Amino acid sequence: MNPSSYNFDTQVVAVATVDQLRERIRRKSRLKGRQADEISLEEVRALLGPRPPEGHRRDLLIEHLHQLNDAYRCLHERHLVALAKEMNIPMTEVYEVATFYHHFEVVRGDAATPGLTVRVCDGLACEMAGAQDLLARLPALLGRQDVRVVAAPCIGRCEQAPAALVHQTPLPQATAETVQAAVQTAVQASNKALAHVPRAQPAINFVASDWAENSLPELQGHVDYVSYRAHGGYALAAALASGRADVERIIQAMEGSGLRGLGGAGFPAGRKWRIVREQAAPRLMAVNIDEGEPGTFKDRSYLERDPHRFLEGMLMAAQVVDCEAVYIYLRDEYHDCRALLQAELDKLRADPPCPLPLIELRRGAGAYICGEESAMIESIEGKRGEPRMRPPYIAQVGLFGRPTLEHNFETLYWVRDIVEKGPQWFSSFGRNGRKGLRSFSVSGRVKHPGVKLAPAGITLQELVDEYCGGMAEGHQLYAYLPGGASGGIFPASHANVPLDFDTLQPHGGFIGSAAVIVLGQHDKARDAALNMMRFFAHESCGQCTPCRVGTAKAAKLMEAPRWDNATLEDLSQVMTDASICGLGQAAPNPVRCVQKYFSHEVA
């Protein structure tokens, strides 16, 4: 066809004006999602400090959330947006971490923020001491809109029941009047005068005077760095670092002592050192001082008294296994312990007895599940504290993907004494065919609660009579929990069963962290079991359905006057068989013990 035959007189119609096209381009160029405002960015940067050339470390996210939470008593959404931008990570990551931990409260928009938080422990020991009455009375008594009162799971002060926290300051044997006075002081002085609130001293009974010969028991307060060094402290760590002490001999001493992990799992410490030492370098170390098991407070008591005995054991373990860095994970409720430990670490770094590895003190944020070793590692990495599937085990693939030596505080606390005095010293203690020492956190209906350092294999009856001054006035032994929330509930007829690893399993329980809670004839085992199940439901990380749904459903069923035992056993079996970690697997223990030993209470 001849092009000249086309008609080119077609009219052009504009679909948009020039200004409209420019506006479309402008809209498309805008970033999606909520953007950080300059004021919030400046506030976040003021707390975090200058951004390093390589950017802020992703694993410090929780530490940075704490900085914001401490400064503003909450986490404003606008600050989370700014933090995400400053750290160059997705807002969804920041938000999911912030909302996982109980001690972070995310506040939307211009919502009112709490000026001060009072946490009243509703753990079993505190509940038995009147915590519910305290919780009921305080809101009206305080009468302040800027002060909120909340129930809190066990805060690790069971020997001081009922215990409370006014912001970050503990109140032992709390009453409505002492809490009111502490709140008034805090509000008037912006928390500065809280240091003058009376605090209980650690209650530790020792098994033998020869054990404490290097512990300076006559000193008030804690053994500081200078005093510890003056009494031979860090001599072993220095000898190891210089090659004057033989690594193999130290591992053999640990193996010969029979020392097992004292956080609850009971894995032989010496064997763990060998396993991790055999892994490819670089290796790391993680120390668990989360101590969230209800009824447990031994680690806090020892830390408040003799922090360098623990630190020397930690350094020796790191040297033997050749760990290039150590991460100490301390529960957030232990504010005073954190300040003490940080101060003593600073002294250690200022005058080191030997070359030190990188040591970082990390802060928990109110999540019981982070006592589980792999959940703790996730939290140290700045993530939600959700347990990992196994294998691989953390000795193979742990913190930051490296082989990791993980230990409980108390396990490391004994290293110096075992190496100095020989393995036979530690294993020479024991009763009823058992060997070693156990630190029992005893609370409940006894005259003298506290940490009781006693021979492994001691019975509950012996522990109460010889170390606790007997039962409290007006109470007779009715039942006891040998291992905190997870260890089951036994009747008085089992008071002569040896307390140690492997001795309680045939009866439906275990010693765990040796948190012993004693019940009297006026208490009910079913109430104790319900308290524990509610705790598990509150603290479940929610990752697996059997635990998340099972604990909540079981707690609801346990409120009935007569238990539906068939359904409860169904739930118990599923939780035991299908839960990812020990929380869900051990949660049914108190239920099954009540069904077995206290059926008259639920029939």
Side-chain angles (χ1 to χ4, degrees), residues 132-251:
Q132 293 303 326
D133 178 65
L134 192 59
L135 279 164
R137 292 180 59 197
L138 280 176
L141 186 64
L142 296 176
R144 300 181 61 99
Q145 294 295 321
D146 58 341
V147 177
R148 65 170 183 169
V149 179
V150 297
C154 184
I155 62 174
R157 296 183 176 273
C158 315
E159 84 282 25
Q160 304 169 9
L165 286 170
V166 176
H167 187 41
Q168 294 176 329
T169 300
L171 285 180
Q173 288 87 38
T175 65
E177 291 71 29
T178 59
V179 172
Q180 186 179 31
V183 167
Q184 289 174 348
T185 302
V187 172
Q188 292 169 2
S190 299
N191 262 4
K192 292 179 182 178
L194 274 176
H196 301 295
V197 175
R199 300 175 190 175
Q201 293 297 314
I204 305 177
N205 291 41
F206 294 101
V207 65
S209 60
D210 67 338
W211 173 80
E213 62 187 19
N214 291 321
S215 297
L216 309 181
E218 72 278 2
L219 289 181
Q220 296 297 315
H222 71 278
V223 181
D224 66 8
Y225 182 64
V226 173
S227 298
Y228 187 76
R229 288 289 300 272
H231 287 77
Y234 292 108
L236 279 171
L240 253 179
S242 65
R244 290 180 286 114
D246 180 58
V247 168
E248 180 59 29
R249 187 184 70 82
I250 289 177
I251 295 178

Side-chain angles (χ1 to χ4, degrees), residues 39-66:
I39 293 176
S40 298
L41 275 170
E42 288 177 9
E43 291 170 343
V44 167
R45 288 166 180 162
L47 291 172
L48 270 60
R51 182 189 295 177
E54 67 277 9
H56 291 290
R57 287 165 51 186
R58 171 63 181 80
D59 62 293
L60 292 178
L61 173 59
I62 293 173
E63 299 299 308
H64 295 330
L65 289 171
H66 273 303

Side-chain angles (χ1 to χ4, degrees), residues 249-262:
R249 187 184 70 82
I250 289 177
I251 295 178
Q252 288 177 0
M254 296 296 293
E255 292 173 332
S257 70
L259 179 67
R260 296 171 65 171
L262 297 172

Side-chain angles (χ1 to χ4, degrees), residues 418-600:
I418 288 171
V419 175
E420 275 188 346
K421 300 176 181 179
Q424 70 285 347
W425 168 80
F426 189 81
S427 61
S428 67
F429 296 101
R431 294 186 187 179
N432 300 305
R434 313 302 297 180
K435 294 182 178 181
L437 292 168
R438 295 289 175 271
S439 299
F440 295 93
S441 304
V442 185
S443 61
R445 310 299 189 184
V446 295
K447 280 186 181 177
H448 305 302
V451 177
K452 313 298 177 179
L453 182 60
I458 194 172
T459 67
L460 185 280
Q461 193 66 61
E462 293 168 338
L463 186 64
V464 171
D465 292 343
E466 298 176 28
Y467 289 81
C468 303
M471 295 292 291
E473 196 69 33
H475 293 275
Q476 299 172 7
L477 179 62
Y478 174 65
Y480 69 99
L481 289 76
S486 309
I489 307 175
F490 291 163
S493 60
H494 282 50
N496 292 315
V497 175
L499 299 175
D500 197 14
F501 296 114
D502 310 321
T503 61
L504 302 174
Q505 280 85 335
H507 305 282
F510 56 83
I511 194 170
S513 60
V516 177
I517 307 175
V518 180
L519 279 59
Q521 77 276 22
H522 304 299
D523 304 307
K524 291 184 178 180
R526 62 169 294 158
D527 293 340
L530 178 57
N531 180 286
M532 297 306 175
M533 190 58 73
R534 285 172 173 164
F535 169 80
F536 288 133
H538 182 264
E539 294 298 322
S540 172
C541 75
Q543 183 178 190
C544 61
T545 303
C547 176
R548 181 184 69 250
V549 176
T551 52
K553 180 67 174 177
K556 189 67 177 176
L557 289 170
M558 292 165 69
E559 294 173 359
R562 295 184 63 181
W563 283 8
D564 181 349
N565 286 317
T567 304
L568 278 170
E569 179 53 31
D570 230 3
L571 285 171
S572 296
Q573 194 63 51
V574 172
M575 283 192 282
T576 301
D577 292 344
S579 294
I580 291 173
C581 78
L583 190 156
Q585 293 164 7
N589 286 344
V591 178
R592 286 171 164 165
C593 283
V594 170
Q595 292 170 325
K596 182 177 181 179
Y597 300 118
F598 305 95
S599 59
H600 59 281

Side-chain angles (χ1 to χ4, degrees), residues 20-356:
Q20 288 172 331
L21 289 172
R22 286 174 177 166
E23 179 59 27
R24 286 183 189 177
I25 294 171
R26 195 178 297 117
R27 283 202 303 267
K28 287 183 179 181
S29 67
R30 288 174 186 163
L31 294 173
K32 295 182 179 180
R34 184 172 173 179
Q35 302 305 304
D37 62 87
E38 285 303 318
I39 293 176
S40 298
L41 275 170
E42 288 177 9
E43 291 170 343
V44 167
R45 288 166 180 162
L47 291 172
L48 270 60
R51 182 189 295 177
E54 67 277 9
H56 291 290
R57 287 165 51 186
R58 171 63 181 80
D59 62 293
L60 292 178
L61 173 59
I62 293 173
E63 299 299 308
H64 295 330
L65 289 171
H66 273 303
Q67 289 176 286
L68 287 166
N69 202 57
D70 289 344
Y72 296 95
R73 298 280 175 90
C74 66
L75 295 175
H76 292 285
E77 264 192 346
R78 62 185 181 87
H79 285 144
L80 297 185
V81 176
L83 182 61
K85 180 177 177 60
E86 182 67 10
M87 295 187 70
N88 195 28
I89 57 178
M91 172 59 185
T92 51
E93 278 189 41
V94 175
Y95 188 81
E96 70 175 8
V97 171
T99 54
F100 179 84
Y101 296 92
H102 298 312
H103 289 185
F104 294 146
E105 181 180 4
V106 177
V107 175
R108 296 177 180 274
D110 298 323
T113 61
L116 191 70
T117 297
V118 176
R119 288 184 167 87
V120 178
C121 176
D122 66 355
L124 180 57
C126 289
E127 187 173 88
M128 291 163 62
Q132 293 303 326
D133 178 65
L134 192 59
L135 279 164
R137 292 180 59 197
L138 280 176
L141 186 64
L142 296 176
R144 300 181 61 99
Q145 294 295 321
D146 58 341
V147 177
R148 65 170 183 169
V149 179
V150 297
C154 184
I155 62 174
R157 296 183 176 273
C158 315
E159 84 282 25
Q160 304 169 9
L165 286 170
V166 176
H167 187 41
Q168 294 176 329
T169 300
L171 285 180
Q173 288 87 38
T175 65
E177 291 71 29
T178 59
V179 172
Q180 186 179 31
V183 167
Q184 289 174 348
T185 302
V187 172
Q188 292 169 2
S190 299
N191 262 4
K192 292 179 182 178
L194 274 176
H196 301 295
V197 175
R199 300 175 190 175
Q201 293 297 314
I204 305 177
N205 291 41
F206 294 101
V207 65
S209 60
D210 67 338
W211 173 80
E213 62 187 19
N214 291 321
S215 297
L216 309 181
E218 72 278 2
L219 289 181
Q220 296 297 315
H222 71 278
V223 181
D224 66 8
Y225 182 64
V226 173
S227 298
Y228 187 76
R229 288 289 300 272
H231 287 77
Y234 292 108
L236 279 171
L240 253 179
S242 65
R244 290 180 286 114
D246 180 58
V247 168
E248 180 59 29
R249 187 184 70 82
I250 289 177
I251 295 178
Q252 288 177 0
M254 296 296 293
E255 292 173 332
S257 70
L259 179 67
R260 296 171 65 171
L262 297 172
F267 193 86
R271 191 193 309 173
K272 182 182 285 190
W273 290 16
R274 283 198 189 278
I275 291 172
V276 181
R277 183 177 165 82
E278 292 170 355
Q279 305 301 310
R283 293 175 284 273
L284 301 176
M285 184 175 179
V287 182
N288 190 338
I289 324 180
D290 197 52
E291 195 167 54
E293 186 70 30
T296 312
F297 47 91
K298 60 183 178 63
D299 293 350
R300 172 183 59 80
S301 297
Y302 285 129
L303 178 53
E304 289 173 337
R305 187 175 188 275
D306 199 354
H308 289 283
R309 190 169 297 271
F310 147 69
L311 288 174
E312 183 168 15
M314 179 190 79
L315 287 181
M316 292 174 66
Q319 290 166 346
V320 167
V321 179
D322 191 21
C323 297
E324 68 174 26
V326 180
Y327 297 82
I328 304 172
Y329 191 85
L330 179 65
R331 74 179 304 193
D332 192 34
E333 290 85 347
Y334 292 171
H335 176 72
D336 291 348
C337 287
R338 186 169 62 255
L340 183 154
L341 186 55
Q342 187 62 64
E344 295 303 322
L345 278 171
D346 290 343
K347 295 175 186 177
L348 176 64
R349 294 187 183 106
D351 180 25
C354 59
L356 302 178

